[in-house]
Amino acid sequence: MGMTMTQKILAAHAGLPEVRAGQLIEAKLDLVLGNDITSPVAIDEFEKCGAHSVFDRGRIALVMDHFTPNKDIKSAEQCLQVRSFAGKYGIRNFFDVGRMGIEHALLPEQGLVGPGDCVIGADSHTCTYGALGAFSTGVGSTDMAAGMITGKAWFKVPSAIRVVLTGKPGRWIGGKDVILHLIGRIGVDGALYRSLEFTGEGLKHLGMADRLTIANMAIEAGASNGIFPVDAVTEDYEKGRLGRAPVVYEADADAAYDETVEIDLSSLRPVVAFPHLPSNTKTIDEAGKVRIDQSVIGSCTNGRIEDLRVAASILKGRKVAAGVRCIVIPATQQIYLAAVREGLAEIFVEAGAVFSTPTCGPCLGGHMGVLAEGERAVSTTNRNFVGRMGHVKSEVYLAGPAVAAASAVTGYLTDPDKIGAKGSLEDEGTRNRP
Amino acid sequence: MKAHGTVHKYGDNVNTDVIIPARYLNTASHGELAAHCMEDIDKNFVKSVKPGDIIVAGKNFGCGSSREHAPIAIRASGVSCVIASSFARIFYRNSINIGLPILECGAAAEEIGNGDEVDVDFDTGMIKNATTGKTYRAQPYPPFLQNIIRKGGLLKSISLD
Ligand code: SF4
C-alpha cells in the first residue's frame, strides 16, 4: 500500500523508507516558527531546561505580529524578551516592526518555506504552508522550545482525507469560499488528527493566494495539515523566492485515504460562516439581511495582495456605509507597499476605510478593531468563536474579501454581484442607518 | 498517579479562545492565566474550582489556537485532569508536553455529570464515577508518550549535550 503526500514527506524527514498512519515518529525540521505570543512561553521553557544553543540559527523564524506595533506595556515586554533572545542566539530570521508581516503570509513570501519541507510553528495556522507542498503544522510552545534545541519534533503519522476539486470557480469565488464550504460539510472536527490532501483538475484554477487561504484553514476542520501537490502554480510562485531547489513529493497512486470529498468549484456560491463556528456556513443567498458594524479585510487567511485587489475592485468609487467601520490590513510590508504602488491604498482611504500597517490585530481581538457588546463584524479572518474579536456578546461572520467589501458598502452581508454602481443594493435601494 | 475531584462539565468544541481569551495573552504568568481560565464560557469556574477538580467535556476539546496558555491555565487553576470524548490535536500534544494529564473516553464524557465526584487512575486508564458508582476505561497512552509523561514533560525527556 502506498503513502499519501504527507506521509512521504514525514518518512523522508524521519529517515524511514516508509511510514504508516498512526505510527509515532521523530522527524527532522526545516524550520521552527514562533510569534510574539507563543515565543515568550517557549523561551521561558528553553531557558528553564538549561539549553545554551539553538540547533540552527538560520532555521528559526520569530515574527512579531500579533500585538504589534506593541499595543500595551505587557506586549512591549513580550516583544522585548523575544528580541533579546533573537540577539543572544543570533537568530537570523527575526522579524520586527517595519520588516514584519503576519507570519503565515510572510514566510512563504520571503521564501523561508518551500515544497517538501517539514515545518512546525507555535501557531495553529502554521498549516498554511501546505499550499506550497510542504508538511507544516501548528504545535505548542513546548514543542517549539524542543524544536529550537534539537531540530526535531515527534509526530503521529496522520491518515488522510482526499479532497478532489473539479470545475472552474465563478467570478467572486476564492479560496475562502472553497474551505468554508468544505468545513461546512465535514465539520470543525471532520478531519481531526488527519491530513486534508487536495487534488483534481480544478486545482489549475486556484492561484497560490487561494491555496494559501485553503491550507490556512485546514486546522478549522481539526486537520493536522492541508497539502497541495506541487505544480506549475507552485513553481511560478517559488521563482525568485526560494533560494534552493524545491523537493517534490507526490502521493502514491495506491495511497490509502479514509474518505474522498468532491467539490465542484463551478457550483460554489460565496460562503459566510455564521457565529460561532467556522462550520456554521450558509451561502450568501441564504444569509438573509444581517446588519454589520465592522468589516475586516486582512489576516493570514485573506490579507494578500490578491485579496486586497478583490476588495479594492468593489470599493473603488464607492463609499463604506455610514455607521460601518471598514478596516483593511495588508498582511506584510511587501503587500503594503504593493497596495500603495498599485493605488489600492488610495481607493480604500477614499472609500472611507482604514488602511493599517501589517498586524494580526482584530483577528484575535487584540487591537485595531475590537468589538463592543452586541456588535457584529464580517471578517476575512479564520475564526468566529465566542469573543474572538472582542466582547463575548459580539459576533463574527467569516467570509472572503469580496463579500466583506460588498458588505462594508451596504452595511449588510451582501452578495458582491448585487451592489449597484454607487453601492446601493440593486434590489433593495440604499440602506439607511439611524 | 491518581486524581480525585469534582467535575466541571462542558459540551463539544470547547475552544482555546474560551479556555483563555486572547485579551489575556499579553502575559505568560501562570497565575494570571489561571485567574481568567474558562472565563468566557463559565464565569463561575475560577470561583468554584478546587485543587484536584476534573474537567469533563464532549468532542474536540481545546480546538482553535495553538496557545499553550490554554492547558497551562487549566493546570494552574488546580485541575488535575481533563476527560473528553476527543481532543483537538494541538491541545492534545501541548497537554502531554507540559504534563497535564488528559484522557479520551466517549462513554465517560457522555455519562459523567456536572458536580459528580470522580476518581482517575492514569496508569490503568480507569475512571470511576464515585457519585454513580460506574466505571470506565480510557485509551491508554502509547509507550512513546508514556515515556514523555514519565520523564515529566517533553523538555525533560530530551537530552542536552
Ligand atoms: S492573522 Fe489571526 S489567525 Fe493569522 S496568525 Fe494572526 S491571529 Fe493568528
Side-chain angles (χ1 to χ4, degrees):
Chain A
M1 197 172 55
M3 290 188 280
T4 65
M5 188 173 168
T6 298
Q7 290 167 354
K8 279 206 170 161
I9 297 174
L10 285 174
H13 285 79
L16 298 169
E18 63 167 22
V19 294
R20 292 269 158 260
Q23 189 175 343
L24 282 154
I25 57 158
E26 196 171 46
K28 280 197 179 144
L29 302 170
D30 295 298
L31 192 78
V32 177
L33 161 75
N35 59 47
D36 52 325
I37 289 180
T38 55
S39 302
V41 181
I43 292 168
D44 287 348
E45 292 297 321
F46 183 97
E47 283 167 351
K48 233 183 355 200
C49 80
H52 40 74
S53 61
V54 298
F55 84 106
D56 187 336
R57 292 183 296 144
R59 290 182 184 275
I60 294 168
L62 303 173
V63 188
M64 305 299 94
D65 55 359
H66 278 59
F67 292 158
T68 58
N70 305 327
K71 76 164 177 130
D72 55 20
I73 295 168
K74 286 180 174 175
S75 316
E77 281 168 350
Q78 286 188 314
C79 286
L80 178 61
Q81 184 188 4
V82 182
R83 197 175 296 121
S84 314
F85 178 85
K88 181 170 170 192
Y89 292 99
I91 309 294
R92 290 203 204 107
N93 299 302
F94 172 65
F95 296 95
D96 214 334
V97 169
R99 282 181 66 215
M100 57 72 77
I102 300 171
E103 47 198 330
H104 312 306
L106 186 72
L107 266 45
E109 171 195 286
Q110 298 291 318
L112 288 173
V113 286
D117 282 356
C118 180
V119 178
I120 61 165
D123 189 280
S124 57
H125 295 103
T126 303
C127 53
T128 308
Y129 322 132
L132 305 170
F135 172 79
S136 66
T137 193
V139 297
S141 297
T142 298
D143 277 308
M144 178 189 168
M148 288 197 296
I149 298 166
T150 63
K152 290 182 193 156
W154 65 269
F155 299 107
K156 190 169 174 183
V157 176
S159 60
I161 296 177
R162 182 167 56 162
V163 184
V164 182
L165 306 173
T166 58
K168 187 176 176 201
R171 175 158 181 226
W172 299 112
I173 301 300
K176 188 60 153 292
D177 304 294
V178 179
I179 189 65
L180 286 179
H181 169 86
L182 177 63
I183 297 166
R185 269 170 68 179
I186 68 174
V188 289
D189 62 350
L192 196 59
Y193 309 133
R194 298 187 280 186
S195 313
L196 286 170
E197 301 217 343
F198 295 89
T199 176
E201 49 90 13
L203 277 180
K204 62 177 182 287
H205 302 296
L206 295 176
M208 190 47 72
D210 291 313
R211 296 177 186 197
L212 288 159
T213 304
I214 292 170
N216 175 271
M217 289 189 69
I219 177 75
E220 297 335 316
S224 59
N225 67 312
I227 198 163
F228 284 76
V230 177
D231 62 8
V233 172
T234 328
E235 279 157 21
D236 246 26
Y237 180 83
E238 291 297 8
K239 234 171 260 158
R241 289 181 204 276
L242 199 64
R244 56 196 155 98
V247 187
V248 180
Y249 296 91
E250 280 174 26
D252 289 324
D254 60 345
Y257 297 93
D258 290 352
E259 56 186 289
T260 295
V261 178
E262 284 180 38
I263 299 177
D264 175 4
L265 299 175
S266 71
S267 71
L268 292 187
R269 294 284 299 143
V271 183
V272 181
F274 276 48
H276 291 285
L277 281 178
S279 56
N280 195 11
T281 54
K282 296 183 184 186
T283 66
I284 191 71
D285 317 303
E286 304 158 344
K289 202 165 184 182
V290 179
R291 206 165 80 177
I292 54 140
D293 304 286
Q294 179 166 296
S295 170
V296 175
I297 299 162
S299 84
C300 59
T301 319
N302 284 110
R304 279 169 278 272
I305 192 69
E306 291 84 352
D307 302 309
L308 301 193
R309 286 183 191 134
V310 168
S313 74
I314 289 167
L315 288 170
K316 186 169 184 171
R318 296 191 173 106
K319 291 277 181 215
V320 171
V324 173
R325 293 104 55 188
C326 180
I327 301 167
V328 183
I329 310 180
T332 68
Q333 287 283 97
Q334 232 179 61
I335 298 167
Y336 188 93
L337 187 60
V340 170
R341 288 195 173 136
E342 290 179 21
L344 310 184
E346 203 174 315
I347 293 171
F348 295 132
V349 174
E350 281 188 339
V354 166
F355 187 66
S356 158
T357 189
T359 181
C360 294
C363 172
L364 77 164
H367 60 144
M368 287 295 297
V370 176
L371 299 175
E373 177 169 0
E375 287 194 322
R376 283 198 194 116
V378 61
S379 177
T380 68
T381 52
N382 48 36
R383 290 202 171 122
N384 55 353
F385 300 152
V386 170
R388 173 73 180 180
M389 206 174 261
H391 196 280
V392 285
K393 289 199 180 122
S394 61
E395 294 182 345
V396 179
Y397 295 73
L398 304 176
V403 167
S407 307
V409 168
T410 61
Y412 296 93
L413 288 184
T414 296
D415 178 352
D417 265 332
K418 290 229 171 99
I419 49 170
K422 290 222 167 60
S424 58
L425 276 181
E426 269 172 2
D427 53 349
E428 293 184 80
T430 311
R431 164 184 170 273
N432 282 310
R433 247 182 104 94
Chain B
M1 234 174 45
K2 290 185 168 54
H4 172 90
T6 310
V7 166
H8 302 256
K9 177 97 189 250
Y10 302 100
D12 293 338
N13 300 315
V14 172
N15 65 75
T16 54
D17 272 286
V18 297
I19 296 172
I20 182 73
R23 58 184 177 276
Y24 302 119
L25 296 184
N26 55 7
T27 176
S29 142
H30 293 194
E32 269 186 65
L33 293 172
H36 300 290
C37 189
M38 310 302 275
E39 182 174 295
D40 284 356
I41 191 177
D42 179 1
K43 284 229 163 7
N44 287 320
F45 177 79
V46 171
K47 277 179 246 156
S48 63
V49 67
K50 303 181 301 303
D53 279 3
I54 292 169
I55 288 179
V56 177
K59 58 180 187 163
N60 206 23
F61 186 87
C63 62
S65 109
S66 69
R67 61 190 71 155
E68 209 156 288
H69 310 68
I72 290 174
I74 289 176
R75 196 189 52 189
S77 71
V79 166
S80 62
C81 118
V82 184
I83 300 168
S85 27
S86 67
F87 291 91
R89 191 191 63 90
I90 303 177
F91 185 91
Y92 183 89
R93 66 185 293 142
N94 284 351
S95 300
I96 286 166
N97 286 345
I98 69 156
L100 170 70
I102 58 174
L103 292 172
E104 269 186 350
C105 182
E110 195 171 305
E111 293 175 17
I112 294 174
N114 195 36
D116 286 358
E117 294 290 316
V118 167
D119 289 298
V120 181
D121 184 332
F122 300 112
D123 301 326
T124 60
M126 288 302 289
I127 300 168
K128 178 166 191 218
N129 187 340
T131 306
T132 63
K134 275 193 104 168
T135 56
Y136 310 88
R137 188 182 285 277
Q139 279 290 328
Y141 292 114
F144 183 88
L145 298 185
Q146 270 175 22
N147 181 45
I148 295 178
I149 295 164
R150 206 172 40 239
K151 290 194 170 141
L154 179 65
L155 285 169
K156 295 201 182 105
S157 77
I158 61 178
S159 58
L160 292 172
D161 29 41

